[in-house]
């Protein structure tokens, strides 16, 4: 199979899904009907609720949901031997009928609930008990995300030391990426100040911002004096996300994510050019598929490729930050549904990059590309370098920088989302409690600075001390989030008397995927424990695996009860 043909077919299918299925969803849910003010306007507070123009919010949303997922997921799936066909079918079907519905539905449901999170939607449409259970689970999952992404970013920035001595040559690329990344934060702050406080024209500011990005890349490549260890970078990243989580979104989150989007679009353009000029063959992945594999297509494929098809983290972004910045309801379809399908395009491009990287490795075993960053960035860079010699180094640096921008954006957003979750846990909205009127210990715990520190400290500590020991749980936990997100949307639609069948089918499927995956992982970890080879990791995975299976069943029962007896009297205004 030719990679270019696959990419063209994939893009055509996704475009058709956006135009036809996306429009049908809008009609079914009444999106954009009438002149409904969004929570960004009705609840504007200058910190979290701030209207954003569609291109700016698209930059934030796409940067946040993508992260490293659409790159690492297909790479892991290829390594497990699933092959390009199974991966591509799941990306296309999952993106259009599962992930797009999930992301779009979560955003609209949140907008109709004053920009509240999935947890609050569950409280209103199901029960307070279900909300508490969901928030505990979602918060712990976000702690794991903070640990993983802070570690990934620190590894990307960190210098290499051998017996306490800096290996400068081996550390130079990381120092370049670190320098550019932090210069990027500075220009984002300046951009936000000019656009949101000085009312500078968006088009002119965007042009200057792109020029500034090019300038800081040049500066970072040629001037990068900072060579900190990975542990030092973990501390710095922890301080950064603590500040970023409580900073008004117009200062950093909106402008940084908007400018980051240009890097991401540039990466997509480079990947597209690479596939066009190289026409990579997918035969190397087909050969892997034919080998014996210990991985089950069901459910493992559906938890391994998450962000490129459907990911529970997306519902937290849609209902956590994006819904609070949505300027007009009609912007929801291109941002949420379109953003998901754009991520599918990136996942398909990643499959092409994997195939090329595997072919390169077979021909050049001494310089083989290993690890997600090298396989994706190196695969694309080599594709173009083979056609335009001498471009590999600069392209690889740019691609690694973009990969780092993905991770840093998702890390920033995950920290803010965890802060929201922690605060909402102590609020009983069904009794009229809000962040402003609670008292006593609840007021202390709902303080944004307290909630952020309680989130960042364990997250960074886990990142330093071995989150990988329990990372195997993340795929299942993330897809359980997706199932519950779909459940919350289905319950809301049932309560307001709208069609929810397009949500029920993917919800039931993802629930089965989650339970099956958790059962398999728990069985594997019990085998490790009984073999006497276990440290604390397998024990934690077994305990949490069993608890998550129980949680999924409890919430499923709550959801069925809600849909059998809709609470129309409680949620009529959210229609």
């Amino acid at each position: 199979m030719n990679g270019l043909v696959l990419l063209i077919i994939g893009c055509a299918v996704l475009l058709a899904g956006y135009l036809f299925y996306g429009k049908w969803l809008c009609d079914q849910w009444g999106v954009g009907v009438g002149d409904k003010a969004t929570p960004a306007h009705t609840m504007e507070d200058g910190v979290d609720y701030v209207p954003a123009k569609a291109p700016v919010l698209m930059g934030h949303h796409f940067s946040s949901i993508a992260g490293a997922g659409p790159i690492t997921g297909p790479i892991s799936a290829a390594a497990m031997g699933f092959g390009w066909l199974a991966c591509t079918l799941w990306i296309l079907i999952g993106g259009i009928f599962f992930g797009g519905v999930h992301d779009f539905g979560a955003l609209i449901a949140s907008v109709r609930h004053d920009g509240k999170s999935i947890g609050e939607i569950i409280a209103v449409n199901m029960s307070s008990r279900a909300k508490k259970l969901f928030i505990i689970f979602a918060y712990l999952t976000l702690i794991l995300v903070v640990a993983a992404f802070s570690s990934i970013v620190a590894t990307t920035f960190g210098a290499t030391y051998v017996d306490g001595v800096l290996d400068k040559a081996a550390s130079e690329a990381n120092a370049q990426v670190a320098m550019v990344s932090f210069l990027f934060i500075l220009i984002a702050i300046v951009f936000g100040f000019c656009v949101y406080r000085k009312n500078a024209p968006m088009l002119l500011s965007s042009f200057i911002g792109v020029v500034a990005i090019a300038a800081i890349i040049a500066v970072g490549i040629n001037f990068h004096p900072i060579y900190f260890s990975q542990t030092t970078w973990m501390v710095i990243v922890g301080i950064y996300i603590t500040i970023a989580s409580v900073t008004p979104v117009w200062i950093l989150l909106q402008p940084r994510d908007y400018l980051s989007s240009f890097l991401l679009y540039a990466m997509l353009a480079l990947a597209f050019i690479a596939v066009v000029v190289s026409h990579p063959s997918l035969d190397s992945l087909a050969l892997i598929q034919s080998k014996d594999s210990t991985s089950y297509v069901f459910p493992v494929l559906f938890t391994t490729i998450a962000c490129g098809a459907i990911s529970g983290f997306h519902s937290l972004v849609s209902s956590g930050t994006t819904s609070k910045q949505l300027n007009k309801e009609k912007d929801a379809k291109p941002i949420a549904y379109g953003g998901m399908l754009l991520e599918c395009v990136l996942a398909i491009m990643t499959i092409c990059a994997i195939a090329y990287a595997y072919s390169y490795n077979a021909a050049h075993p001494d310089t083989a590309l290993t690890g997600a960053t090298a396989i994706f960035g190196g695969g694309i860079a080599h594709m173009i370098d083979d056609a335009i010699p001498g471009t590999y180094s600069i392209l690889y640096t740019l691609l690694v920088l973009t990969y780092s921008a993905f991770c840093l954006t998702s890390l920033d957003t995950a920290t803010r989302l965890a802060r929201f979750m922690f605060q909402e846990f102590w609020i009983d909205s069904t009794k009229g409690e809000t962040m402003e009127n609670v008292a006593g210990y609840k007021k202390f715990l709902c303080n944004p600075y307290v909630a952020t520190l309680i989130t960042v400290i364990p997250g960074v500590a886990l990142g330093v001390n071995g989150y990988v020991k329990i990372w195997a749980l993340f795929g299942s936990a993330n897809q359980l989030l997706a199932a519950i997100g779909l459940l919350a949307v289905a319950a809301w639609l049932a309560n307001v008397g709208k069609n929810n069948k397009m949500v029920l089918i993917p919800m039931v499927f993802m629930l089965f995927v989650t339970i099956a995956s958790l059962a398999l992982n728990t069985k594997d970890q019990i085998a490790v424990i009984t073999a006497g080879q276990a440290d604390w990791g397998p024990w934690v995975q077994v305990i949490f695996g069993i608890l998550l299976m129980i949680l999924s069943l409890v919430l499923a029962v709550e959801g069925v009860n809600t849909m059998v007896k809709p609470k129309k009297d409680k949620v009529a205004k959210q229609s």
Side-chain angles (χ1 to χ4, degrees), residues 66-120:
I71 296 172
T72 58
I75 290 173
S76 298
M80 291 176 182
F82 293 129
W84 65 268
L85 181 59
C87 293
T88 303
L89 287 175
W90 170 231
I91 289 167
L92 295 177
I93 296 171
I96 294 171
F97 300 106
F98 288 63
V101 173
H102 170 266
D103 296 15
F104 190 20
L107 177 56
I108 293 301
S110 178
V111 168
R112 301 287 172 82
H113 289 79
D114 297 327
K116 299 294 177 58
S117 74
I118 289 293
E120 287 297 333

Side-chain angles (χ1 to χ4, degrees), residues 467-535:
Y467 75 93
V468 292
K469 293 183 178 181
I470 57 173
W471 184 246
L473 268 178
F474 178 74
S476 302
N478 184 49
Q479 298 306 58
L480 178 54
L481 273 178
I484 297 172
L486 289 165
L487 174 62
V489 175
W492 163 65
L493 290 171
N495 284 336
V496 297
K498 294 186 183 295
N499 180 13
N500 68 353
K501 292 183 178 62
M502 76 292 287
V503 181
L504 289 177
I505 294 173
M507 183 267 290
V508 171
F509 179 81
M510 295 313 299
L511 200 58
F512 276 113
V513 164
T514 297
I515 293 173
S517 180
L518 287 169
L520 284 174
N521 186 65
T522 300
K523 176 178 72 73
D524 291 343
Q525 300 307 316
I526 290 175
V528 173
I529 292 171
T530 55
Q533 302 170 354
D535 55 10

Side-chain angles (χ1 to χ4, degrees), residues 56-64 253 257 317 321-322 325 413:
V56 176
L57 189 54
M58 180 62 175
H60 158 69
H61 184 81
F62 182 54
S63 300
S64 297
L253 185 139
D257 292 357
V317 176
T321 53
T322 304
Q325 302 173 66
T413 301

Side-chain angles (χ1 to χ4, degrees), residues 372-455:
T373 306
I375 289 174
F376 176 75
I380 291 174
H382 274 302
M383 284 190 222
I384 298 177
D385 187 65
D386 287 350
I388 310 173
T391 58
Y392 179 82
S393 180
I394 183 66
L395 289 175
Y396 183 76
T397 300
L398 177 61
L399 289 164
V400 172
L401 169 65
T402 307
Y403 182 83
S404 174
F406 267 126
C407 295
L408 199 58
T409 299
S410 295
L411 174 60
D412 183 335
T413 301
T415 307
R416 189 179 287 262
L417 292 174
R419 189 252 292 178
F420 290 156
M421 287 284 178
F422 187 86
Q423 290 174 297
E424 288 180 358
F425 179 82
W426 307 102
I427 303 297
D428 189 344
S429 57
T430 62
K431 296 180 179 179
E433 290 185 349
T434 66
M435 300 289 181
E436 292 74 27
N437 66 19
V438 291
Y441 74 93
K442 287 187 176 182
K443 188 174 186 63
F444 173 76
L445 292 172
C446 287
N447 181 284
Y449 301 100
V450 173
T452 299
L453 287 173
I454 291 175
T455 298

Side-chain angles (χ1 to χ4, degrees), residues 177-196:
V177 172
M179 188 69 178
V180 175
S181 297
F182 276 86
L183 288 175
F184 193 93
I185 291 171
L186 294 178
I187 66 168
I189 294 172
V190 173
F191 180 90
F193 178 77
C194 291
V195 171
Y196 292 102

